[in-house]
Amino acid sequence: MTSDLARGEDSILFVPDVLKQSAELHRLEAEAIAQNQSPQTVSEAYVVSRAQYRRCAKQDARAWENHRRWLQDQADSKLALRKSLRRADISKRFLALGFVAADFDTLHLDGSWCSSCLYQSYDDDLAEWEDYEEDLILDTHDEEPQTQDQAMSTTTSDAQGAQVRVGGAIIRGPSLEQKLGEFREQAREEKMAAMLADLHTDCMPGPASLYQFFQSDERLTDEEWEKYKSPIVACVHRRRFDRIWREEIAAHDARQKRQEALRPLFGRLQPPKRSATSARASIPISFAIFLALPTVETLWYPANAFIDARGWPPLEPQILSEICTRIRLDKVVLFDRIVRAHVADNGVLPSTTMKPIASSSSSPFIDCDPSKGLVPLHAALTDRDMDPLFAQVTSLFRCGICSTKLPYPDIAIHLVDDHDVPNVPAYAHVPSSDFRKAIKSLLDDLGHSLQLELAAFEFFYADCDFDVTMRSASGQFETSVGETWAQVLSGKSPAELDASRLKLSYSTDRDIVGIKLSTASVSDEDA
Ligand SMILES: [Zn+2]
Ligand SMILES: [Zn+2]
């Protein structure tokens, strides 16, 4: 009966109460019978009044339950408020240290503060973990409990046996012992790694009491903060580092995507690919230099940059002018370089066209400080000043990668088109002084002025061969007979470069000390 009552809504009626009620009903019925009345009427009246009573009781119970819930809610919200005040206290400390909410706002959720990781001491954990794993193995292989330790002890007795068997061979003893030690050490390392992967991948170094630090509903005091701050700040610091690292990687990837999206614009602004006739006409630039142009940079660098090809055409004239500026700057740097080489070789400025600029004291670009060399002249240099010098046979540049000798601007085209270098001046070198001397004495021998243009030279000697004397690595001289002019100036082929890429002291240049017109070709001409 109790269990029946306890089930439904009737559970608000207690067993003694039910007994009392039924006794009362029997009493009323008995009285009615005693007064010769029908017990039915009093019974019905009693049931009605009883139903009313139960309705009131249920209403009261509901009211009390609601009240109890309200009180609980109040208590809960007060607790939550106190906890949030504490979190705000903690947040204030972190914000004052320069962290952002993303670095520390989930610390109170993670219960995995770990003192083993804090002190980097895992010996106890390893022992516990080993016991646990052994139990597991024993449970699964009850009939054959061969653990790794036992396997190891078997090896030990084998090893001792080996030592006994070899008898006097003392040398083998320590090496076996050593191997065993290494084996044990390796087994321990493997176990340690497995244990760490199992138990300590997701924990934060700090005393376990830190969980309570974050869960407490008391306001944070200075003393408490001083006591706990070191491990917490270290942890938040690491989180911030991870966050910044992730953000940087994402930003870098996004920037690279935007850069790649600019390739069509880059392709459109490049001059047509080199052909036999236009080799010296227009100079390409590398994609890296293109991206670094001020106007182009605004298209991809800002984090909110949006690549839209419809916005490119109005920018193109500006970008082209920046490309021209860049090419001119490279040209001036190379001009400066070749002029210095000529001055070093001859002690005088090389071209007569240069002298009026250099000697004009009225020029605003002349700075009397000799240490600045030609630098003050750079802004005044025009193509008309530079091109005659670049055109000379004596003004060849050496490719820094394959050592081919080329005049400007062929060297720039070669570096960008063939080697895809980002920075032309960094790879366009003046050839060795021996090579420069060899060219000069060749011109002397042939009776040409040093100002002879390369085009004229190549025209005169198109069908001639040359004997090239080189210094070998051991200092011996050797002569290569009958090279064409193109061979004299050639560098290493891509295959040769690839083959010797890994050699440490490897020069791609031939150490040329003399170039002579091949006697064979002279006699051919005479004949
Ligand atoms: Zn841990
Ligand atoms: Zn090259």
Side-chain angles (χ1 to χ4, degrees):
M1 184 167 154
T2 318
S3 60
D4 284 348
L5 286 168
R7 230 174 271 141
E9 282 203 320
D10 287 331
S11 59
I12 54 170
L13 299 175
F14 301 105
V15 175
D17 196 44
V18 172
L19 291 175
K20 244 163 81 182
Q21 296 310 320
S22 81
E24 177 68 9
L25 184 58
H26 284 306
R27 192 185 63 77
L28 291 173
E29 283 174 349
E31 267 177 16
I33 292 166
Q35 287 165 18
N36 213 14
Q37 290 171 353
S38 160
Q40 185 68 26
T41 326
V42 283
S43 168
E44 278 168 7
Y46 179 79
V47 168
V48 169
S49 75
R50 188 63 201 160
Q52 278 173 350
Y53 168 79
R54 282 174 59 186
R55 218 171 20 251
C56 287
K58 278 180 191 167
Q59 272 171 1
D60 284 354
R62 269 190 219 112
W64 279 111
E65 177 58 19
N66 286 344
H67 191 61
R68 192 192 61 75
R69 273 197 207 131
W70 181 81
L71 285 175
Q72 184 62 49
D73 288 350
Q74 290 292 307
D76 285 352
S77 65
K78 266 189 190 161
L79 181 70
L81 178 69
R82 284 205 303 276
K83 281 191 172 186
S84 76
L85 282 173
R86 181 177 177 88
R87 280 214 287 284
D89 290 346
I90 297 173
S91 297
K92 260 190 229 164
R93 309 273 175 163
F94 284 126
L95 292 172
L97 291 172
F99 295 108
V100 300
D103 300 328
F104 58 80
D105 60 358
T106 54
L107 282 184
H108 65 284
L109 300 176
D110 297 320
S112 50
W113 291 98
C114 172
S115 44
S116 304
C117 284
L118 176 65
Y119 301 111
Q120 297 279 308
S121 101
Y122 298 107
D123 291 347
D124 293 349
D125 289 0
L126 185 62
E128 254 176 59
W129 188 77
E130 276 174 340
D131 288 348
Y132 172 75
E133 290 287 296
E134 252 168 52
D135 287 350
L136 219 63
I137 292 166
L138 284 175
D139 283 351
T140 43
H141 308 284
D142 246 348
E143 66 286 357
E144 200 69 53
Q146 166 112 350
T147 64
Q148 204 168 6
D149 277 344
Q150 278 165 319
M152 212 155 70
S153 63
T154 321
T155 321
T156 315
S157 58
D158 283 354
Q160 282 163 351
Q163 197 178 4
V164 172
R165 276 200 301 278
V166 291
I170 308 158
I171 312 148
R172 287 194 65 184
S175 94
L176 273 174
E177 202 49 48
Q178 205 180 346
K179 271 183 193 160
L180 243 137
E182 280 169 13
F183 176 73
R184 282 201 195 94
E185 187 55 38
Q186 194 191 341
R188 189 186 143 80
E189 273 172 17
E190 280 169 10
K191 272 186 198 167
M192 182 67 93
M195 187 277 291
L196 288 177
D198 200 7
L199 302 180
H200 291 282
T201 43
D202 232 5
C203 42
M204 301 185 287
S209 55
L210 278 180
Y211 180 65
Q212 201 45 44
F213 176 87
F214 284 100
Q215 290 302 317
S216 164
D217 60 342
E218 304 283 329
R219 296 300 293 264
L220 180 69
T221 61
D222 287 345
E223 294 74 33
E224 216 184 344
W225 175 246
E226 281 304 316
K227 184 175 167 192
Y228 289 111
K229 72 175 181 186
S230 309
I232 306 176
V233 170
C235 172
V236 173
H237 198 84
R238 210 173 50 244
R239 285 179 164 218
R240 175 169 71 171
F241 182 81
D242 289 349
R243 173 180 59 82
I244 291 173
W245 181 250
R246 280 195 307 274
E247 287 172 359
E248 277 299 312
I249 298 267
H252 176 260
D253 289 351
R255 271 204 297 269
Q256 247 179 357
K257 256 187 204 158
R258 292 196 293 269
Q259 289 178 348
E260 283 305 314
L262 288 171
R263 282 223 182 248
L265 176 63
F266 171 68
R268 213 154 66 210
L269 297 180
Q270 282 287 67
K273 275 278 173 193
R274 169 164 42 157
S275 65
T277 48
S278 69
R280 296 182 192 183
S282 43
I283 302 162
I285 59 164
S286 67
F287 189 52
I289 292 292
F290 170 76
L291 291 173
L293 296 173
T295 305
V296 178
E297 205 176 54
T298 60
L299 294 177
W300 62 266
Y301 188 78
N304 60 356
F306 176 69
I307 301 295
D308 181 4
R310 285 168 299 180
W312 293 345
L315 297 174
E316 282 176 21
Q318 174 62 24
I319 296 174
L320 277 173
S321 115
E322 284 169 13
I323 291 176
C324 291
T325 308
R326 174 74 208 196
I327 289 172
R328 182 186 141 76
L329 288 176
D330 286 355
K331 185 174 180 176
V332 170
V333 170
L334 294 185
F335 181 72
D336 184 282
R337 195 168 288 168
I338 204 74
V339 167
R340 283 169 196 275
H342 279 290
V343 172
D345 290 347
N346 310 328
V348 289
L349 279 172
S351 163
T352 45
T353 52
M354 282 300 300
K355 281 176 186 160
I357 310 173
S359 60
S360 156
S361 56
S362 61
S363 164
F365 306 106
I366 297 297
D367 188 328
C368 293
D369 182 354
S371 70
K372 291 189 179 168
L374 291 171
V375 172
L377 288 174
H378 287 172
L381 286 172
T382 62
D383 285 345
R384 243 192 20 229
D385 298 324
M386 296 188 277
D387 286 345
L389 184 68
F390 278 136
Q392 293 176 10
V393 191
T394 48
S395 297
L396 291 166
F397 287 91
R398 178 175 71 82
C399 166
I401 292 175
C402 68
S403 288
T404 304
K405 318 292 187 304
L406 289 165
Y408 182 88
D410 293 20
I411 184 75
I413 298 167
H414 166 76
L415 282 169
V416 173
D417 278 353
D418 296 347
H419 300 305
D420 196 27
V421 303
N423 190 352
V424 166
Y427 291 89
H429 305 301
V430 170
S432 71
S433 96
D434 282 340
F435 180 84
R436 283 166 8 223
K437 273 183 205 152
I439 291 279
K440 276 186 196 126
S441 60
L442 173 68
L443 290 176
D444 278 344
D445 290 352
L446 298 173
H448 292 295
S449 111
L450 293 183
Q451 275 88 44
L452 181 70
E453 288 198 2
L454 180 66
F457 180 89
E458 286 177 349
F459 177 74
F460 293 151
Y461 300 100
D463 300 321
C464 296
D465 289 335
F466 299 86
D467 296 342
V468 180
T469 308
M470 290 163 287
R471 194 186 291 116
S472 69
S474 54
Q476 306 290 314
F477 291 104
E478 50 195 46
T479 303
S480 156
V481 180
E483 292 191 10
T484 64
W485 180 241
Q487 282 169 336
V488 174
L489 300 187
S490 70
K492 297 284 173 187
S493 70
E496 286 172 310
L497 286 176
D498 231 29
S500 44
R501 200 153 33 113
L502 294 175
K503 287 187 188 162
L504 268 180
S505 55
Y506 176 71
S507 164
T508 55
D509 200 10
R510 300 193 292 171
D511 194 359
I512 295 174
V513 293
I515 306 170
K516 300 260 180 275
L517 196 62
S518 194
T519 45
S521 68
V522 172
S523 57
D524 279 357
E525 266 180 5
D526 291 346

